Amino acid sequence: MNQMSKLDLFIQQAVAAVPVSGTSLISSLYGDALSHRGGEIWLGSLTALLEGLGFGDRFVRTSLFRLNKEGWLDVSRIGRRSFYRLSDKGLRLTRRAESKIYRAEPPTWDGTWLLLLSEGLDKNTLTDVKKQLIWQGFGTLAPSLMASPSQKLADVQALLHEAGVAENVICFEARSPLASSVSALRARVEECWQLTEQNQMYENFINTFRPLLPLLRDAAPAELTPERCFAIQLLAIHLYRRVILKDPLLPEELLPAHWAGQAARQLCINIYQSVAAGALAWVSEKGETSVGPLPQPASPFYQRFGGLNLK
């Protein structure tokens, strides 16, 4: 970046505003910029991409080492160069996450609930499965009873099979409760899904990124360099991802009156659309794989948020 602009100041302030985990940031980068472009990149390319955000070589290497150790990335070495690729596990988790992050609109609801009764699982297995289910949008109605109004049965069965507990968990489908139960249900939903805390996270995201909109609108074309666009897109999607992945995506009927999730999603979409073309160009310029330049993105990339405008 040449001359310091208001956009650079915004990027610096956004990076400084919250502690940034290297493994989480690089997971966001792979999910956003690389998963639909082969999922592999040279270590030196990652360093080049992240240095504009103020993160150095050691930060990148330490984070990659951890992600490799966790089985999220595979590494191959050719000569003195290291190339990091999404593992099967990493790709599976990335695909699961992106269906929440880049969805075009809130899910519709037909009034059906999915209930899971998990009696008989040992404590460690239960804790691990519960974590995955909460990440998928389930809430704990009672110690061994989890519920979700927005999950597809096939997706949940696949998750339970992957975890090896499909035969130990009883699945029920249920309809909405009687009218007399609605107010009690809303109170229970707010408590079970920690909606007050979730709403505050959305409001924090909005407060951080709303000042960016006039800066993008007023920026001269020369200011919107590919490097700045990439930094803005990665930061926005990284911080939005931290919130949306904890969102159970409950139907509107069950949400509190002043829910900020929709406004946060629209803000993220508006920012993403403004910088996506430049960010794509920067990743293409800096990205290198073991067989040469990064491939062009696969078609699902262009369908994000209902369709990207990359003019």
Side-chain angles (χ1 to χ4, degrees):
M1 298 179 190
N2 302 323
Q3 182 184 352
M4 176 73 81
S5 80
K6 288 180 181 177
L7 291 172
D8 296 329
L9 289 172
F10 175 85
I11 291 163
Q12 285 183 1
Q13 287 164 0
V15 169
V18 289
V20 175
S21 150
T23 53
S24 181
L25 183 68
I26 288 176
S27 298
S28 296
L29 193 160
Y30 268 88
D32 189 57
L34 302 174
S35 66
H36 287 294
R37 304 189 70 172
E40 180 193 78
I41 197 166
W42 172 45
L43 166 62
S45 295
L46 279 175
T47 303
L49 286 169
L50 289 173
E51 67 182 357
L53 285 156
F55 299 110
D57 181 66
R58 186 174 178 185
F59 173 93
V60 174
R61 286 175 185 272
T62 303
S63 305
L64 290 173
F65 174 78
R66 287 179 183 152
L67 287 166
N68 176 236
K69 199 172 179 185
E70 290 167 13
W72 206 85
L73 291 177
D74 293 330
V75 61
S76 57
R77 293 179 176 84
I78 300 173
R80 299 180 65 182
R81 289 181 155 204
S82 297
F83 297 87
Y84 287 85
R85 171 188 288 278
L86 281 169
S87 65
D88 289 345
K89 172 188 173 181
L91 190 58
R92 189 172 67 247
L93 294 175
T94 296
R95 292 282 184 263
R96 200 174 280 167
E98 69 185 13
S99 67
K100 287 184 86 170
I101 297 166
Y102 303 106
R103 67 170 58 243
E105 54 193 24
T108 54
W109 189 44
D110 63 0
T112 304
W113 285 79
L114 202 54
L115 304 177
L116 301 180
L117 187 63
S118 55
E119 295 282 5
L121 288 180
D122 75 78
K123 195 173 178 182
N124 288 345
T125 305
L126 181 61
T127 302
D128 187 50
V129 170
K130 269 191 172 182
K131 262 187 207 169
Q132 292 186 58
L133 289 168
I134 287 167
W135 195 74
Q136 283 291 95
F138 277 82
T140 305
L141 287 183
S144 57
L145 182 65
M146 301 193 77
S148 170
S150 58
Q151 295 302 312
K152 293 187 179 73
L153 181 58
D155 293 344
V156 175
Q157 285 178 320
L159 187 152
L160 295 173
H161 275 290
E162 280 173 26
V165 298
E167 293 179 6
N168 306 92
V169 175
I170 304 167
C171 297
F172 299 93
E173 281 192 314
R175 300 295 297 170
S176 284
L178 300 173
S180 58
S181 306
V182 169
S183 60
L185 174 65
R186 287 181 80 104
R188 189 82 183 110
V189 161
E190 186 144 349
E191 182 187 336
C192 284
W193 277 272
Q194 300 177 318
L195 296 185
T196 304
E197 184 183 324
Q198 180 77 35
N199 209 36
Q200 185 59 57
M201 291 168 69
Y202 274 130
E203 286 173 357
N204 292 344
F205 175 84
I206 291 168
N207 291 337
T208 299
F209 282 93
R210 190 159 42 199
L212 178 60
L213 285 180
L215 298 183
L216 290 171
R217 188 181 59 239
D218 299 339
E223 272 191 283
L224 284 173
T225 61
E227 186 175 7
R228 286 188 182 118
C229 287
F230 169 78
I232 289 166
Q233 179 172 304
L234 179 58
L235 278 175
I237 216 68
H238 174 60
L239 295 176
Y240 181 65
R241 177 179 178 266
R242 284 168 46 151
V243 188
I244 187 70
L245 290 186
K246 292 177 182 172
D247 187 340
L249 297 180
L250 296 175
E252 198 174 327
E253 299 94 310
L254 298 173
L255 292 171
H258 303 292
W259 183 246
Q262 184 70 3
R265 191 177 67 85
Q266 193 57 54
L267 175 59
C268 185
I269 290 171
N270 291 340
I271 291 167
Y272 203 93
Q273 293 281 19
S274 299
V275 297
L280 189 63
W282 188 245
V283 174
S284 294
E285 182 181 328
K286 295 293 176 184
E288 190 180 333
T289 74
S290 58
V291 292
L294 281 168
Q296 286 304 302
S299 57
F301 170 82
Y302 296 99
Q303 303 311 313
R304 288 176 173 179
F305 297 123
L308 294 179
N309 178 15
L310 295 180
K311 292 175 185 173

